[in-house]
Amino acid sequence: MSSSPYAPAGNILNQIIKTKKGLKAVAYNKDGELTCSKTAYAQSSHVLQHKPLLDKILREVPVDANNKGLLYILLYELLMGPNRAIRGGGALKRQLLKQQEQLQATLFRLQPSFANMTASSPDQSSSDYVTIPRYVRVNTIVSSMEQVLSQIDAKTKPSKNNKNKKKTKKPSLQDSSSSSKMPRYVDPHVPNVLVFPPTASTRANLQELVKSQQVVLQDKSSCFSALCMVHGFDTLPSMEGDFLDACAAPGNKTCHLAALLTEQAAAAASTTTTTTSKSSSSKRASSVVVHALDKSKDRFELLQRRMKELTETPPRDGDAKKNKVTTVECHNADFLSIDPETDETFSNVTAIMLDPSCSGSGMISNHQEAMDRDPLSKPKNFDRIESLSNFQFQALQHATSAFPKVQRVVYSTCSVYVQENEGVVQRLLESSSSSSSSSNDGNDGGEWELVAPKCLDHWHRRGLEHPDVVGLSPEQLQCLIRVNPEEDGTNGFFVACLQRKAANKAPKKKKKKMIGAKKNTYEKPLATMGMELYDNQFNKDDNSTGKEEKEETSTVLSSSAVTTMSNQKSSGKMKNDDDSSSKKKRKAEGDKEGDEEESNIVSKKRAKKMEWKKKQREKKLLRLAKQEQQANNSSEQ
Ligand SMILES: C[S@@+](CC[C@H](N)C(=O)[O-])C[C@H]1O[C@@H](n2cnc3c(N)ncnc32)[C@H](O)[C@@H]1O
């Protein structure tokens, strides 16, 4: 057995290679507990992110090794690790050191950006990498933004008494808070979402809050589904009907939906109390049901446990009624076999959130898809994508046709491929159009229509034009939300909000009676509690905090390093409404000329940077060649 300090990570990698499973599947047990050290997990994750590049290097410079997992780890440490060095000893290390120069020269040729890095600049801090921050959603059923922040500050405040304690690094972010506070921002698109640097210390500082169910570590884009369900449409959802999360496990979106509905019910109840205190609406508001379905038995168990913890933990403010407002009922069932006509449990469902199994190609941690993330090209694993797409369509069709009372459906995936996104929506609209013979409204036919989500009207990346999806009009594409994992600082995502057309034609009188028919007066997040809105601060050159200790899943190669998503026709970038931002001052929202001007400036800057990098690379190679020459000379002497 190897005594190398990298042996545990090497073993994990060997298991991944042998079983072809993902890192999480190998490193976690059934109960969701990590079975190896965090260090081994992080090391394996770093290697997996760079495995395609490491493979290329090894193809050009073969290294003889029986222990492939260990080879990957040592090679990564030597060429790309934070110290560009291998700790400990061993035959494999000696072998690699012998071939070091050749390996390094190959790396610089294949991935020139590495030539500009010094040993003290870890690979992830290269400008070829985009940082995905750590997003934290405050679980408003249990806690609040204020409570969460005060607990974080209490935890991170350096103790005055303990002078021997390790000095904490001074945050270099221009956070409005004092330097002793953990750097944090407010997400500009999703309320109650905080943004932290993606470091191990962030995670450590949040651990207690996660355990006490006050926060959920949920990526920003994954919050779009529930947000759209409640605040995406012109009216708030009816609280008289039930909600259904059709593919719910592990339940992040379900819990978010429950929290938003609880907030909505609380707002409705407070309005009701001030107007008609004996109104029955407050009664109704206290019995919102969210059915959470999952077909997989294991995942269902996880879902059930998490929903109990996240939605039934007593609120910190002592308002015991709060977590009785929304009840989450979990069901281990196949969504496709649910028939509300015969199963009374689901007969009152009026809204469906559908987040079906997908390729996960938008997830930055999905190393297998990392080299194949161009949504415009045909996916390499086309057959798999096609079969996923067929299932997704079937599920969306079921949601829109089998539930007569359903008025709104929010469809989402964390895939970047059009086949799983725009393609599924187009098929649905086409099938809905052909099956609806009664439609004579002069519109494009069909019972269902797309809605541009109100809550994301300041999100600029929209549906993609693609030769395979010719059936969607520019207006329809504008209704679709896309997230580019390389440019938007969050995992790739897609959301479509569908509304039954008949919902618009409901008699006005009836509409008025429903609590949910209230106009949606959603307001996007504003900077609160002295915090700035997040505007990519963790990726800016002048901000180094968070780069010293990146978490394993927090980085993704940018377009220049891996694939080009920049040719996406929808060029929307994440924007915020922070008036102090100079970018914002330069252009008004929606100003296309301004957008083009900015993209020209960006291209020029990029070209200049590339030129500079090229020169640096040449210098480095020259230096290496000189060193090699000197080494040869001295060995000849
Ligand atoms: C993308 S995940 C859902 C993630 C979840 N919405 C969240 O945010 O935590 C897809 C889930 O759909 C479940 N699933 C797949 N086919 C299903 C079906 N026919 N009926 C119900 N659930 C299904 C899978 O087991 C998986 O847990």
Side-chain angles (χ1 to χ4, degrees):
M1 228 177 86
S2 169
S3 60
S4 161
Y6 304 101
N11 289 341
I12 295 176
L13 288 171
N14 281 330
Q15 280 185 62
I16 291 172
I17 295 165
K18 195 173 154 197
T19 61
K20 295 198 166 55
K21 286 183 182 168
L23 175 58
K24 282 189 180 151
V26 167
Y28 283 89
N29 66 17
K30 255 184 151 186
D31 297 327
E33 291 154 354
L34 196 60
T35 57
C36 61
S37 71
K38 283 184 185 165
T39 313
Y41 186 94
Q43 285 168 341
S44 315
S45 172
H46 283 139
V47 168
L48 290 170
Q49 281 177 31
H50 296 89
K51 193 169 170 291
L53 182 55
L54 293 171
D55 280 330
K56 274 190 196 167
I57 296 170
L58 287 171
R59 269 198 294 277
E60 298 206 12
V61 187
V63 177
D64 200 15
N66 291 332
N67 189 338
K68 285 272 177 279
L70 189 62
L71 170 62
Y72 280 120
I73 297 277
L74 298 195
L75 188 60
Y76 169 81
E77 287 294 311
L78 182 65
L79 300 182
M80 309 166 187
N83 301 312
R84 307 289 195 277
I86 301 170
R87 285 185 288 128
L92 189 51
K93 174 181 173 175
R94 287 193 293 279
Q95 175 69 32
L96 284 170
L97 289 180
K98 268 191 210 161
Q99 296 175 268
Q100 183 173 5
E101 276 184 14
Q102 221 188 339
L103 290 163
Q104 204 165 37
T106 312
L107 167 70
F108 294 165
R109 186 166 42 75
L110 293 172
Q111 191 59 264
S113 57
F114 276 94
N116 300 330
M117 292 175 219
T118 61
S120 58
S121 66
D123 57 355
Q124 293 94 334
S125 54
S126 153
S127 53
D128 274 344
Y129 288 83
V130 176
T131 300
I132 303 288
R134 162 63 68 201
Y135 292 98
V136 174
R137 183 173 63 73
V138 174
N139 180 13
T140 54
I141 298 176
V142 174
S143 195
S144 66
M145 194 97 125
E146 288 88 341
Q147 287 172 349
V148 163
L149 287 170
S150 72
Q151 287 167 78
I152 290 174
D153 290 343
K155 191 173 164 54
T156 52
K157 229 178 210 166
S159 159
K160 281 178 197 162
N161 305 332
N162 194 352
K163 285 182 183 166
N164 295 332
K165 261 194 176 173
K166 227 176 145 188
K167 270 189 185 173
T168 44
K169 275 174 203 154
K170 186 175 173 269
S172 54
L173 296 158
Q174 315 115 4
D175 180 24
S176 44
S177 48
S178 85
S179 62
S180 65
K181 285 181 182 172
M182 196 160 112
R184 86 288 296 265
Y185 293 88
V186 174
D187 185 79
H189 300 98
V190 189
N192 293 310
V193 167
L194 291 164
V195 193
F196 293 101
T199 63
S201 57
T202 297
R203 220 191 155 121
N205 286 329
L206 294 169
Q207 208 170 1
E208 276 169 31
L209 289 163
V210 173
K211 269 190 175 171
S212 57
Q213 321 302 335
Q214 295 184 70
V215 301
V216 179
L217 301 180
Q218 183 172 0
D219 191 56
K220 168 194 181 134
S221 56
S222 145
C223 298
F224 284 3
S225 311
L227 184 68
C228 284
M229 174 55 85
V230 179
H231 295 292
F233 298 78
D234 274 347
T235 57
L236 289 167
S238 162
M239 305 289 267
E240 290 170 334
D242 293 349
F243 292 75
L244 171 60
D245 187 349
C247 297
N252 283 345
K253 296 179 187 73
T254 322
C255 164
H256 189 202
L257 178 62
L260 290 170
L261 293 173
T262 303
E263 286 166 27
Q264 186 192 329
S270 69
T271 334
T272 318
T273 328
T274 49
T275 50
T276 51
S277 60
K278 280 188 180 168
S279 161
S280 60
S281 45
S282 56
K283 236 188 193 173
R284 266 186 255 117
S286 65
S287 59
V288 185
V289 175
V290 177
H291 296 286
L293 239 70
D294 208 278
K295 188 181 164 183
S296 148
K297 190 168 180 300
D298 288 347
R299 290 173 69 89
F300 162 73
E301 278 165 14
L302 175 68
L303 169 74
Q304 203 173 29
R305 198 184 67 215
R306 289 191 79 223
M307 289 309 98
K308 192 168 165 44
E309 290 166 352
L310 285 163
T311 66
E312 293 178 26
T313 296
R316 312 271 302 180
D317 61 8
D319 182 0
K321 273 181 257 144
K322 213 166 161 188
N323 56 4
K324 302 258 181 314
V325 172
T326 310
T327 311
V328 178
E329 289 179 13
C330 300
H331 312 265
N332 185 198
D334 179 348
F335 171 60
L336 297 179
S337 65
I338 299 291
D339 180 359
E341 310 272 348
T342 56
D343 188 342
E344 222 180 87
T345 317
F346 303 102
S347 61
N348 197 31
V349 171
T350 56
I352 297 179
M353 200 156 73
L354 178 64
D355 183 47
S357 301
C358 72
S359 64
S361 50
M363 303 287 288
I364 57 147
S365 56
N366 196 338
H367 57 93
Q368 276 155 350
E369 306 278 348
M371 300 297 282
D372 189 21
R373 221 184 247 134
D374 182 356
L376 290 172
S377 62
K378 188 176 167 179
K380 282 192 195 108
N381 45 358
F382 189 73
D383 289 349
R384 179 174 162 247
I385 303 303
E386 203 175 28
S387 105
L388 281 167
S389 156
N390 287 338
F391 162 68
Q392 291 150 356
F393 167 64
Q394 217 183 340
L396 187 56
Q397 199 176 36
H398 189 63
T400 51
S401 61
F403 296 79
K405 287 192 186 169
V406 165
Q407 301 300 328
R408 56 179 74 183
V409 173
V410 174
Y411 171 76
S412 61
T413 75
C414 55
S415 165
V416 295
Y417 301 131
V418 284
Q419 290 83 356
E420 297 180 82
N421 299 334
E422 290 86 350
V424 171
V425 172
Q426 173 187 301
R427 280 168 78 185
L428 187 275
L429 292 176
E430 276 171 8
S431 83
S432 142
S433 160
S434 57
S435 63
S436 150
S437 51
S438 59
S439 172
N440 60 353
D441 54 8
N443 211 325
D444 54 342
E447 251 190 294
W448 290 86
E449 65 188 345
L450 287 168
V451 171
K454 238 176 116 78
C455 51
L456 291 175
D457 63 355
H458 49 315
W459 183 268
H460 285 242
R461 197 177 300 283
R462 299 287 159 158
L464 264 185
E465 272 181 54
H466 188 276
D468 289 350
V469 192
V470 287
L472 293 178
S473 68
E475 291 74 26
Q476 286 173 320
L477 287 173
Q478 274 303 306
C479 291
L480 304 173
I481 297 292
R482 257 194 175 261
V483 179
N484 179 337
E486 292 177 13
E487 292 180 17
D488 298 335
T490 174
N491 283 316
F493 207 70
F494 173 84
V495 192
C497 295
L498 290 142
Q499 152 178 286
R500 200 187 283 274
K501 280 185 191 167
N504 292 339
K505 296 171 195 162
K508 275 194 177 162
K509 261 189 182 172
K510 202 174 176 191
K511 255 183 151 184
K512 261 189 184 171
K513 269 192 182 173
M514 293 158 69
I515 308 170
K518 267 193 180 161
K519 198 167 161 45
N520 182 7
T521 52
Y522 174 81
E523 280 185 20
K524 59 200 168 216
L526 298 165
T528 48
M529 289 172 269
M531 284 180 292
E532 286 175 42
L533 293 174
Y534 184 66
D535 183 21
N536 209 25
Q537 285 89 339
F538 297 141
N539 256 323
K540 284 176 183 163
D541 291 343
D542 52 345
N543 289 325
S544 60
T545 300
K547 289 192 172 173
E548 298 94 351
E549 41 158 353
K550 290 262 167 60
E551 234 173 57
E552 60 279 6
T553 56
S554 61
T555 51
V556 59
L557 284 171
S558 74
S559 48
S560 59
V562 183
T563 58
T564 44
M565 282 188 70
S566 51
N567 55 353
Q568 282 195 10
K569 291 199 175 149
S570 83
S571 63
K573 270 194 156 193
M574 189 171 99
K575 291 180 182 141
N576 76 23
D577 304 297
D578 179 3
D579 284 339
S580 65
S581 148
S582 58
K583 205 200 297 176
K584 177 73 200 289
K585 276 180 193 158
R586 274 208 314 273
K587 56 181 182 174
E589 236 180 52
D591 178 349
K592 282 197 179 149
E593 272 176 33
D595 280 349
E596 271 166 31
E597 196 184 358
E598 185 176 84
S599 85
N600 282 340
I601 294 169
V602 170
S603 319
K604 275 183 196 159
K605 274 190 182 166
R606 191 172 292 158
K608 221 171 150 185
K609 202 168 178 180
M610 294 304 285
E611 184 60 29
W612 179 82
K613 279 186 171 185
K614 201 176 146 201
K615 280 193 185 142
Q616 294 296 315
R617 195 167 66 235
E618 285 164 357
K619 275 187 195 167
K620 178 96 184 185
L621 288 173
L622 212 66
R623 213 165 46 240
L624 278 173
K626 266 188 193 166
Q627 279 169 7
E628 200 173 346
Q629 185 72 44
Q630 275 168 1
N632 286 343
N633 290 345
S634 56
S635 66
E636 278 166 20
Q637 277 163 11

